[in-house]
Amino acid sequence: EPGGGTTDYAVEIYREAITHGKYECFLSENTYLPMMYMQDAIDATLQLMDAPKENITIRTSYNIVGMSFSPKEIYNSLLPYFPDFKIKYEPDFRQAIADSWPKSINDSIAKADWNWQAKFDLKMMTQTIIANLPAQFGYTPVK
């Protein structure tokens, strides 16, 4: 469950599309933030652990990224499933927090050292979330 954090809009928007058909977003429509689908985070961890020792050039930490997207892009990815879904943008104090963060992350060293590559983009993430939503929401995926 989202807890009110700045990136929680990305979870809330899916739930609200299903449960209420509308969402009031606390970030502006074109605020881009780097995100990662959990399966990609798990895969990256396993790939790094399995990478040949001689390929690892950084001993502290690697940047990895899945995708960067905006609230408007998530909204647009949901419209094929929920054509009547409405969103209203009402930025609050979290907008200033989001504006202080990078819009994307450079993970080129991870790609070079151990062939890191995210599998999920926004379209695939939306398809996966919609296909696997809990039945408690009373939603049956569109075929």
Side-chain angles (χ1 to χ4, degrees):
E1 290 294 314
T6 303
T7 58
D8 282 352
Y9 85 89
V11 175
E12 290 175 354
I13 195 169
Y14 288 99
R15 185 179 62 197
E16 294 301 308
I18 298 160
T19 59
H20 296 104
K22 62 183 178 178
Y23 180 60
E24 187 171 303
C25 187
F26 51 79
L27 296 180
S28 68
E29 64 184 335
N30 293 314
T31 300
Y32 281 82
L33 292 172
M35 301 281 192
M36 178 175 278
Y37 192 68
M38 186 57 72
Q39 189 60 53
D40 276 339
I42 293 166
D43 289 348
T45 302
L46 295 173
Q47 289 170 20
L48 178 58
M49 290 175 14
D50 289 341
K53 182 171 67 172
E54 60 274 9
N55 290 12
I56 304 303
T57 62
I58 298 176
R59 296 290 175 193
T60 54
S61 62
Y62 280 90
N63 286 336
I64 56 171
V65 70
M67 60 194 110
S68 289
F69 51 74
S70 69
K72 184 177 182 178
E73 288 177 332
I74 295 179
Y75 170 71
N76 287 332
S77 78
L78 285 163
L79 287 177
Y81 302 96
F82 305 99
D84 297 328
F85 180 48
K86 302 291 182 217
I87 192 166
K88 182 178 178 183
Y89 301 96
E90 293 289 336
D92 67 14
F93 69 94
R94 291 169 283 195
Q95 183 66 53
I97 297 169
D99 289 345
S100 73
W101 291 346
K103 294 179 181 5
S104 64
I105 295 173
N106 180 351
D107 60 358
S108 60
I109 298 174
K111 288 177 178 176
D113 284 5
W114 42 278
N115 298 317
W116 159 246
Q117 185 62 49
K119 293 180 182 144
F120 285 83
D121 60 10
L122 179 57
K123 181 178 180 179
M124 186 174 176
M125 181 179 78
T126 297
Q127 289 171 341
T128 302
I129 290 171
I130 296 301
N132 293 290
L133 287 172
Q136 70 194 36
F137 292 129
Y139 175 72
T140 302
V142 175
K143 301 287 184 198

